[in-house]
Amino acid sequence: MKGEGRVACGQGEALFQDLDFPSDDTSLFSDSTTPVARLQGNITWRRPQEICQSPVLFPDNINLRHAKQGLLGDCWFLCACTVLLKNKHLLNKVLPPEQPQWGDSRYRGFFRLRFWQQGYWTEVTIDDRLPCIHSTLCFSSCHSPTGFWVALLEKAYAKLHGSYERLWAGQVSEALVDLTGGLAEQWSLGDSGSEAEPRSEQDSEQFRRRRLDLNLLYPVKDDCVLSCSTHRSPGGASELGQYHALTVMEWLDVKTVSGSKVRLLRIRNPWGRCCWGGGWIGSGAGWKSVDPHCASDLQARVAEGEFWLDEAEFMSQFDDVTVGYPISEEGHLKSIYTGCLLTHSHQLPGRWVKGHSAGGSRNSSSYGTNPKFWLKVSERGEVLVSLLQQRKWRNMEKHARTHLEDTENTKHQHYQATALHMWKVEKKHLNLSRMLNKPPCASTHCHAYEREVVLRGQLEPGYHLLIPSTYKPGAQGHFLIRVFSSSSISLSALRSPAPSLPLTTDVEWETSYFWGSWAEGKTAGGSRNFLSHWQNPFFPFTVSDDSAVTPGVNVRITLHQNSPDTDLLPIGFHIYKVVEGECAQTIPRDEDPAASCVPHCYTQDVSLACSLPPGAYAILPSTYEPDCSADFSLSLARRIHRKVVKSQERLGRAIQEVSHISVMQS
């Protein structure tokens, strides 16, 4: 605590005290809305050497290293911590080895830990003062009272979130990603929503896929991390309340005395005590169907807080399972669907901006304004694409409460409802509006209030267009697109025309994209000052009669050169009136352009918005001087009077996993 002063080291030096995450109530509580708030005034802060005589990070006994939940409702985080004990290379990533510990002359009272955040590993430094009640850790600990890696990891995670209280209730999948930098998916064990709720065919397919099939996971059953959770008191639970997460330690098929097989799962309760009363507890009736030697061996595996149950009990008593993707020592993701290593990966950040790139779902005519990404696949292979959004806190600053963007949505105040759709396209000529009226080749189908949504597919070689979206138009946020693949891939952002065009209820903007290059001696004709100007690439388009019904801007063109900022060419373009179906060489050399974007500028993008009468036109993009080579792209937006066919996008059932624990009486 602040008034305690500094603790002396053996060399007379003071131990580190973290002023950014002090040992007081500001580090414990954020808004005092959870049951942990009742602990105010009862907590003291102590270092491990003040709690026990011989503190260590990891007890020698592996079973005593596991996390045991205290008075904080963070079972979701503790279940995810199991992945670190199963994978030393991940543990060393999160908690770098060879840090000086207690009893080491180099020890100075602090530890450095790392968490994966929005695409990068973030280091968090903490002092080792831990919250206690009566000289005993009041939050999470190891099963051994001398082990402190769990308590230190929990403190660092609390600092990352802003307070311990912010760890009350959460998703196992989020913690798994933060601890591994990989992926995690939630699978349903029961009915995924009301039968009365209408579902499209695609939605039904997605709900079937999300129902757990343990056979599907068999190739990776020893590598992946499984956590099961309940949103109600299971029939076999003797004391489980609502909303609790547990860890699946192992599962295997056991031969019975009758010759059949039964699948058994060993479950660990982070509370550290058994809470189950099924047929496989102790001398339960289930063991009588198994060979006695096998039964004895399996029962001997049960550590404190663990119990066995069979697959039928598991599927009926729990609501969903979180599956964490295995990660190899080289850092490659392993598919939970096929067991294949996904050795290629890319990631790109993005954002939804109100009035510009927050187009909402496919129900909205502004859907096409959402951010867009090119995914190029070199050969057929398995591809996983995830959309990870940044969390919105109620308190963006430690002591300052801020207004939520969506005050009506108190249940899902931290996340937007998001989805990800993908289309197979021909990159050289893309009519965005027409393409979006076709079904996507893959999608997450339902918009869900989850931090990360994932789509998977076996993709053919070629270009694919990815569009991440929020359910509501105008919903703002930052996100990260991640792609993992068994074959070589590339990922790039598609530059949308900017600034955005105003959207009205009776018109739509149809956007087409073109790609080309200026090649020395061939298509790099330069500006109109040179006779070779007409050798430049030629892109015809038409303006319909309908677009002239409403006066004002009806065409907007953006030219983007694919060159680094340090190697830009001066670029511009002209628009010529042409006879439909003819080429650039037929344009009279003395004809003035219908519109121009000049002078040529040293910039990556030049844009022009104009009003053109109905007819046939062509765009000639150019560099200022001839024979300057570069690749470029053109976007052409035209106002039309045709509305898109609306898809029946809907919100998926949000899986709201939270935690609950009774405060034990001492």
Side-chain angles (χ1 to χ4, degrees):
M1 298 178 69
K2 286 184 177 179
E4 290 180 340
R6 293 182 178 269
V7 181
C9 277
Q11 303 296 324
E13 296 183 27
L15 295 182
F16 173 70
Q17 294 191 25
D18 185 3
L19 301 181
D20 294 328
F21 198 65
S23 297
D24 58 31
D25 283 358
T26 61
S27 299
L28 291 170
F29 313 110
S30 54
D31 53 19
S32 299
T33 59
T34 70
V36 76
R38 73 185 70 174
L39 300 178
Q40 292 190 52
N42 295 319
I43 291 181
T44 58
W45 297 77
R46 299 181 183 273
R47 298 186 189 267
Q49 64 269 37
E50 300 172 314
I51 298 173
C52 69
Q53 287 188 346
S54 302
V56 294
L57 281 176
F58 301 98
D60 292 334
N61 187 327
I62 183 65
N63 287 326
L64 298 182
R65 294 182 183 181
H66 283 283
K68 184 176 183 180
Q69 189 175 353
L71 303 181
L72 186 64
D74 60 350
C75 58
W76 58 281
F77 173 65
L78 302 183
C79 288
C81 289
T82 305
V83 70
L84 302 181
L85 292 181
K86 292 183 65 173
N87 300 273
K88 188 175 181 180
H89 62 285
L90 292 176
L91 177 62
N92 290 342
K93 190 84 171 180
V94 173
L95 183 55
E98 300 181 1
Q99 297 191 59
Q101 302 179 33
W102 313 276
D104 188 323
S105 61
R106 299 173 299 151
Y107 163 74
R108 293 295 178 267
F110 67 89
F111 287 87
R112 292 189 174 95
L113 300 97
R114 291 192 290 238
F115 300 97
W116 188 89
Q117 295 285 287
Q118 289 295 319
Y120 302 95
W121 286 94
T122 300
E123 185 170 281
V124 178
T125 300
I126 57 168
D127 63 36
D128 60 356
R129 295 177 294 176
L130 300 169
C132 298
I133 295 180
H134 304 308
S135 301
T136 302
L137 292 175
C138 61
F139 297 144
S140 301
S141 64
C142 291
H143 275 264
S144 168
T146 63
F148 286 91
W149 78 275
V150 172
L152 293 171
L153 183 66
E154 182 184 57
K155 180 174 183 177
Y157 203 53
K159 179 179 179 179
L160 188 71
H161 283 68
S163 72
Y164 275 92
E165 190 174 31
R166 281 184 170 166
L167 301 188
W168 189 285
Q171 301 277 0
V172 177
S173 57
E174 294 183 19
L176 278 171
V177 173
D178 292 346
L179 292 174
T180 67
L183 284 179
E185 290 193 48
Q186 290 175 315
W187 296 66
S188 174
L189 296 180
D191 182 29
S192 299
S194 169
E195 290 300 324
E197 188 178 7
R199 298 176 185 165
S200 70
E201 181 178 347
Q202 286 185 332
D203 290 337
S204 299
E205 175 188 336
Q206 171 70 351
F207 278 94
R208 287 196 299 270
R209 187 188 68 81
R210 290 288 295 275
R211 289 197 178 94
L212 176 69
D213 180 359
L214 285 174
N215 292 321
L216 180 66
L217 298 176
Y218 207 88
V220 294
K221 76 181 189 71
D222 295 325
D223 300 325
C224 67
V225 174
L226 289 182
S227 174
C228 54
S229 62
T230 174
H231 307 155
R232 50 182 165 68
S233 293
S238 58
E239 58 177 312
L240 276 185
Q242 289 185 332
Y243 314 122
H244 190 51
L246 303 92
T247 304
V248 180
M249 300 302 295
E250 66 171 323
W251 53 278
L252 67 165
D253 295 326
V254 177
K255 190 173 183 179
T256 65
V257 292
S258 65
S260 61
K261 286 187 177 181
V262 59
R263 180 165 290 170
L264 298 181
L265 300 95
R266 179 161 58 94
I267 311 296
R268 177 183 287 272
N269 179 10
W271 290 353
R273 58 185 185 278
C274 184
C275 57
W276 202 262
W280 300 89
I281 296 297
S283 58
W287 296 111
K288 297 178 182 178
S289 64
V290 179
D291 176 80
H293 293 291
C294 178
S296 177
D297 175 64
L298 295 179
Q299 288 174 312
R301 300 187 194 183
V302 174
E304 186 180 7
E306 296 182 353
F307 55 90
W308 288 98
L309 47 68
D310 60 39
E311 185 176 14
E313 286 180 297
F314 181 77
M315 301 296 286
S316 64
Q317 298 300 320
F318 291 96
D319 294 300
D320 55 59
V321 156
T322 297
V323 186
Y325 282 69
I327 298 179
S328 70
E329 293 190 16
E330 295 74 26
H332 299 313
L333 218 65
K334 181 183 288 188
S335 171
I336 61 175
Y337 299 91
T338 63
C340 294
L341 279 178
L342 307 178
T343 54
H344 301 269
S345 63
H346 288 278
Q347 62 182 33
L348 280 177
R351 62 183 301 197
W352 296 288
V353 180
K354 187 175 183 179
H356 174 52
S357 60
S361 73
R362 295 176 68 215
N363 295 339
S364 171
S365 62
S366 59
Y367 176 76
T369 66
N370 280 302
K372 291 169 280 291
F373 297 84
W374 279 125
L375 172 62
K376 182 182 179 182
V377 179
S378 61
E379 58 186 68
R380 177 177 170 80
E382 183 177 8
V383 178
L384 292 167
V385 186
S386 85
L387 168 62
L388 175 70
Q389 62 175 306
Q390 278 190 15
R391 180 168 181 156
K392 314 179 290 179
W393 290 105
R394 280 177 292 179
N395 302 330
M396 297 304 293
E397 298 296 333
K398 182 78 175 179
H399 302 291
R401 187 180 296 268
T402 58
H403 183 67
L404 283 178
E405 292 181 36
D406 184 3
T407 55
E408 297 177 356
N409 191 358
T410 56
K411 185 176 181 181
H412 306 294
Q413 58 194 330
H414 298 312
Y415 298 121
Q416 306 286 359
T418 61
L420 188 60
H421 294 76
M422 178 166 61
W423 284 265
K424 180 76 166 64
V425 296
E426 293 297 330
K427 186 179 184 241
K428 292 300 180 183
H429 188 179
L430 167 65
N431 186 306
L432 183 65
S433 180
R434 292 173 188 169
M435 185 201 69
L436 295 182
N437 286 330
K438 300 177 181 179
C441 66
S443 77
T444 56
H445 304 306
C446 296
H447 283 74
Y449 288 106
E450 297 178 11
R451 186 176 76 167
E452 188 168 27
V453 295
V454 181
L455 67 81
R456 169 192 173 267
Q458 291 285 340
L459 299 187
E460 299 295 334
Y463 288 94
H464 299 76
L465 187 69
L466 296 169
I467 300 185
S469 64
T470 58
Y471 186 71
K472 290 184 177 181
Q476 299 196 121
H478 294 260
F479 62 83
L480 183 72
I481 293 287
R482 297 196 287 161
V483 183
F484 304 88
S485 174
S486 60
S487 62
S488 179
I489 54 172
S490 64
L491 181 68
S492 59
L494 190 155
R495 289 178 174 266
S496 298
S500 62
L501 294 170
L503 295 168
T504 61
T505 57
D506 59 343
V507 297
E508 178 196 347
W509 289 90
E510 180 178 79
T511 305
S512 300
Y513 295 91
F514 307 91
W515 286 261
S517 61
W518 296 293
E520 182 178 352
K522 296 180 181 179
T523 58
S527 66
R528 294 183 73 217
N529 296 341
F530 302 92
L531 294 177
S532 57
H533 173 68
W534 305 102
Q535 297 174 7
N536 283 297
F538 177 88
F539 299 93
F541 69 97
T542 59
V543 176
S544 65
D545 292 337
D546 288 342
S547 64
V549 173
T550 304
V553 172
N554 60 1
V555 173
R556 206 247 338 256
I557 299 167
T558 297
L559 170 64
H560 170 75
Q561 62 172 308
N562 301 328
S563 302
D565 291 339
T566 57
D567 197 24
L568 294 176
L569 299 171
I571 59 172
F573 60 85
H574 298 282
I575 304 171
Y576 294 95
K577 192 82 166 63
V578 298
V579 177
E580 189 168 1
E582 295 192 1
C583 63
Q585 281 66 31
T586 63
I587 302 174
R589 298 299 184 260
D590 57 351
E591 181 171 327
D592 291 330
S596 298
C597 182
V598 289
H600 289 68
C601 298
Y602 285 93
T603 181
Q604 284 193 322
D605 298 279
V606 291
S607 297
L608 174 69
C610 59
S611 177
L612 295 177
Y617 297 87
I619 308 168
L620 264 72
S622 67
T623 58
Y624 182 73
E625 293 185 348
D627 295 331
C628 295
S629 299
D631 295 326
F632 65 84
S633 61
L634 271 174
S635 64
L636 167 67
R638 289 169 291 175
R639 195 177 65 201
I640 59 174
H641 283 254
R642 175 176 58 80
K643 293 184 179 180
V644 296
V645 178
K646 291 185 178 181
S647 72
Q648 297 301 311
E649 293 278 350
R650 69 178 187 86
L651 286 169
R653 180 181 73 88
I655 303 173
Q656 189 71 3
E657 178 193 313
V658 295
S659 306
H660 172 78
I661 184 170
S662 301
V663 178
M664 301 300 294
Q665 299 294 325
S666 59

